Amino acid sequence: MSKGEIIAGFLAPHPPHLVYGENPEQNEAKSQGGWEQLRWAYERARASLEELKPDVLLVHSPHWITQQGHHFLGVEHLSGKSVDPIFPNLFRYNFELKVDVELAEACCAIGAEMGLTTKMMLNPNFRVDYGTITTLHMIRPQWDIPVVGISANNSPYYLTTEEGLEEMDILGKATRKAIEDSGRRAVLLASNTLCHYHFSEEPVPPEDMAQEHPQNYEGYLWDMRMIELLRQGKTGEVFELLPQFINEAFAEVKSGAFTWMFSAMQYPELAGELHGYGTVIGTGNAVMEWNLIKAGLAQAA
Amino acid sequence: MTVVSAFLIPGSPLPFVQRDNPPWGKIADALDTAGKALTASQPDTIIVYSTQWIAVLDQLWQTKPHLKDIHVDENWHEYGDLPFDIKIDTDLAEAAVVATNEAGIKSKGVNYDKFPIDTGTIIAANFLNPENKLPLVITANNVYHDWQMTEQLGRIAVAEAEKLHRKVAIVGVGGMSGSIYRQVINIADDKIASDEEDKWNRKILSLMEKGDVKTLLNECPKYASEAKVDMGFKHFAFILGAMGGDFSSATVHGYGPLYGSGAAVLEFQLG
Ligand SMILES: [Fe+2]
């Protein structure tokens, strides 16, 4: 078996509005569109993923919150209807996914060896969270690539942000080692919004784009500053600023996916490709790609 | 009298899924006792406020008439399924939606197949209404609502119940102190993770036993922050509002650890 590798990482946020705006058959709620800038950003990301031809997609979602350790989906087939508890009017999605249990088990075991509390989720009746499902639908609506789903341990909230993100850094290292040992060609998905200040009321209809704009100007400025640094490949500077960004822009990257992904990729000082930016109910969302094949850091298939 | 009984219970699934573990079994026994007391109080409807039903935009009220499904806890999935079969008092729930909106708290009913029902609500229903004899009104914890607003929600729910001539039992579902064990422990040795928090819990429980509402209201903000109390102890705010801001005493049916956090089963004697 040849050595596995991470071939790309995507910042792949999960506002359910994007699925709602697209009107796929799996979603019960129907719209007249909306959030096109972000949906077109995902179209570009989908095309890129198609070329990457990964064996597996790994997704870390802030809406599977766990207190005792970092958990991994460990049931080969999971299906059901996922209803977003915050936006049930927009997202009632029938999903069916295939889990790469072998890789999940390896991530879990190596994470434990590295000192983390880790756990496999083995209950076949488990309801996969809407963050995982939205990110996976937006990046690969065909659902034909196996998945490793990873929970967001609440350490950045329970401990300090810095202590929590240190755990996510270890989780990233464990993920990398597991992928290398597995022989898989893997794509990482960090399911995170940037600035998370949001409006407290929905427009009628929710897809009325005349109402959609950043909720908070300071937060918007933060998003632009961070995206600009990421586009320049100034990863070190981004991670120096991260705790301040989290604090001042209430950024969802606090939950760890972004740190997990960059740790797994060994924090490359590599210019990220911005596929697009847009707001959803006022929050800032960027779809970005770090293509390690194009950068010569991983091999083409 | 509209409110015939009121309870504060923990929303953790552990006493339900593993009651043969002695520390958790004690809490399960206390929940059974609370369930008997609730039944004896002969309410028409049980009004449940659970910290684990998180809302962000509006105040949400469940309006689907019948909820029957299996839930698997996000964190405790290895202990198995949480089945539930819950009937909703939709007249009262709909009235509460209208009344909370009129009071300036933006509210909505939710009526969707497979809408996620939180673990705390399921635990309350399974222990306190095991044969599903009574209908429930279930409402969410909006994370942006403060203590006062949460008290107001309790008051409004009861005022609407009164208009509909319902006798109601009030159930606030949530934990006490919040420090937990983050690693796997020997569950038979479970204890409150922090001695300081244990002291705080006991102090608050003793004030409740005495019905010293004035001191409680003074101490609750400090207790909530120093003992990392689940959601700022807003489940108690809801109960207090529903009881009209007063009660004469309380009975602690059980107190103990659930993976390090504090859990208490309390029954309030009304003023
Ligand atoms: Fe989110």
Side-chain angles (χ1 to χ4, degrees):
Chain A
M1 187 170 67
S2 60
K3 192 174 163 191
E5 54 184 0
I6 296 166
I7 55 178
F10 287 84
L11 180 57
H14 55 254
H17 305 65
L18 305 183
V19 173
Y20 170 70
E22 184 182 301
N23 289 314
E25 65 173 71
Q26 295 101 319
N27 196 27
E28 266 178 28
K30 297 299 171 203
S31 70
Q32 303 165 64
W35 303 277
E36 281 75 9
Q37 304 288 338
L38 272 168
R39 293 197 285 113
W40 293 333
Y42 263 114
E43 264 181 30
R44 290 186 279 275
R46 285 172 180 177
S48 186
L49 189 80
E50 177 68 31
E51 274 179 37
L52 284 160
K53 298 196 194 322
D55 301 318
V56 60
L57 303 173
L58 292 93
V59 56
H60 187 285
S61 166
H63 297 288
W64 180 12
I65 302 169
T66 53
Q67 290 84 41
Q68 274 72 32
H70 305 260
H71 299 202
F72 301 82
L73 295 180
V75 177
E76 201 181 339
H77 289 280
L78 287 161
S79 62
K81 190 200 277 185
S82 169
V83 177
D84 182 329
I86 309 296
F87 299 103
N89 50 327
L90 310 183
F91 189 82
R92 303 187 300 279
Y93 186 97
N94 290 292
F95 71 95
E96 221 184 313
L97 62 84
K98 187 174 173 350
V99 173
D100 184 339
V101 176
E102 194 182 275
L103 180 56
E105 281 172 346
C107 292
C108 183
I110 296 171
E113 275 168 28
M114 290 185 175
L116 297 175
T117 297
T118 60
K119 207 193 271 186
M120 292 300 289
M121 196 304 295
L122 302 172
N123 189 319
N125 295 323
F126 189 73
R127 182 179 59 218
V128 180
D129 73 282
Y130 64 95
T132 297
I133 291 169
T134 299
T135 287
L136 286 169
H137 173 90
M138 291 314 296
I139 200 86
R140 189 69 181 173
Q142 301 92 321
W143 291 95
D144 57 353
I145 302 173
V147 169
V148 172
I150 309 174
S151 79
N153 178 267
N154 71 341
S155 49
Y157 303 89
Y158 185 79
L159 309 171
T160 65
T161 299
E162 287 81 354
E163 286 168 324
L165 293 184
E166 265 171 46
E167 279 203 19
M168 302 304 170
D169 173 81
I170 298 171
L171 184 68
K173 292 186 169 90
T175 303
R176 180 183 184 86
K177 172 88 171 51
I179 290 167
E180 285 175 353
D181 294 352
S182 74
R184 309 279 202 279
R185 295 160 42 73
V187 165
L188 308 182
L189 305 170
S191 181
N192 277 163
T193 288
L194 298 175
C195 170
H196 208 275
Y197 289 115
H198 58 80
F199 298 115
S200 56
E201 288 186 25
E202 276 187 299
V204 181
E207 60 268 40
D208 178 358
M209 290 296 103
Q211 310 297 320
E212 188 61 83
H213 59 88
Q215 194 272 354
N216 181 292
Y217 181 51
E218 296 302 317
Y220 174 80
L221 290 176
W222 256 118
D223 280 2
M224 293 307 114
R225 182 178 176 191
M226 295 303 265
I227 289 169
E228 192 51 35
L229 289 170
L230 289 167
R231 289 178 67 236
Q232 291 169 18
K234 293 184 177 165
T235 304
E237 206 176 325
V238 165
F239 277 86
E240 262 166 47
L241 287 170
L242 201 65
Q244 197 192 345
F245 170 53
I246 286 168
N247 224 355
E248 293 180 14
F250 188 38
E252 203 190 31
V253 292
K254 178 166 182 165
S255 60
F258 183 74
T259 302
W260 159 78
M261 176 173 81
F262 266 93
S263 164
M265 296 194 298
Q266 298 183 320
Y267 302 96
E269 293 277 320
L270 172 64
E273 184 180 356
L274 178 70
H275 289 304
Y277 177 86
T279 62
V280 177
I281 197 158
T283 67
N285 296 273
V287 181
M288 292 193 77
E289 174 179 356
W290 288 266
N291 189 314
L292 302 186
I293 294 177
K294 278 189 195 162
L297 297 170
Q299 293 191 345
Chain B
M1 202 156 63
T2 303
V3 178
V4 294
S5 56
F7 304 87
L8 185 147
I9 69 164
S12 164
L14 297 174
F16 183 78
V17 291
Q18 188 91 49
R19 72 182 298 161
D20 61 358
N21 179 42
W24 304 346
K26 265 172 51 188
I27 301 291
D29 293 345
L31 283 160
D32 286 342
T33 306
K36 286 192 189 110
L38 186 148
T39 305
S41 73
Q42 297 187 308
D44 301 309
T45 297
I46 307 172
I47 300 179
V48 177
Y49 173 96
S50 169
T51 55
Q52 289 180 61
W53 181 7
I54 301 281
V56 175
L57 297 181
D58 307 299
Q59 181 59 30
L60 302 178
W61 303 79
Q62 181 60 245
T63 51
K64 192 168 192 291
H66 190 195
L67 312 163
K68 188 175 188 322
D69 207 344
I70 284 171
H71 173 55
V72 177
D73 190 72
E74 295 191 318
N75 187 74
W76 301 113
H77 39 78
E78 73 269 40
Y79 288 100
D81 302 337
L82 302 168
F84 58 92
D85 187 348
I86 296 170
K87 290 202 186 75
I88 295 295
D89 182 343
T90 52
D91 290 344
L92 181 49
E94 302 278 9
V97 172
V98 173
T100 34
N101 272 318
E102 281 170 3
I105 304 173
K106 206 163 170 287
S107 286
K108 238 194 226 168
V110 290
N111 180 353
Y112 298 101
D113 172 45
K114 295 279 178 187
F115 181 88
I117 308 300
D118 70 283
T119 296
T121 295
I122 295 168
I123 294 308
N126 286 357
F127 272 113
L128 304 184
N129 190 33
E131 285 156 53
N132 189 27
K133 283 189 185 141
L134 297 169
L136 270 58
V137 165
I138 308 172
T139 193
N141 158 29
N142 184 307
V143 291
Y144 296 109
H145 289 174
D146 62 10
W147 182 280
Q148 274 69 28
M149 211 182 250
T150 310
E151 264 197 60
Q152 200 186 346
L153 286 172
R155 263 199 310 276
I156 292 171
V158 169
E160 292 309 302
E162 193 171 355
K163 285 184 203 160
L164 293 172
H165 307 293
R166 300 278 202 281
K167 288 181 175 168
V168 293
I170 305 299
V171 181
V173 188
M176 304 281 288
S177 62
S179 285
I180 50 163
Y181 294 111
R182 302 185 61 242
Q183 73 285 9
V184 176
I185 60 164
N186 178 356
I187 58 173
D189 300 333
D190 197 1
K191 63 181 185 63
I192 305 283
S194 148
D195 290 343
E196 285 306 305
E197 291 181 13
D198 187 23
K199 269 187 217 148
W200 253 124
N201 292 336
R202 289 175 191 278
K203 180 176 171 184
I204 292 296
L205 293 176
S206 130
L207 289 169
M208 285 180 169
E209 284 177 317
K210 288 182 209 142
D212 186 349
V213 178
K214 203 171 151 221
T215 311
L216 268 172
L217 281 174
N218 261 330
E219 295 287 341
C220 272
K222 214 169 144 207
Y223 169 56
S225 79
E226 289 184 8
K228 295 184 177 174
V229 179
D230 183 18
M231 290 291 163
F233 211 28
K234 284 197 295 179
H235 36 309
F236 177 55
F238 185 89
I239 302 167
L240 197 59
M243 294 190 298
D246 201 11
F247 60 98
S248 59
S249 62
T251 308
V252 180
H253 290 304
Y255 166 66
L258 293 173
Y259 237 82
S261 70
V265 179
L266 279 150
E267 179 182 357
F268 297 91
Q269 279 80 43
L270 305 158

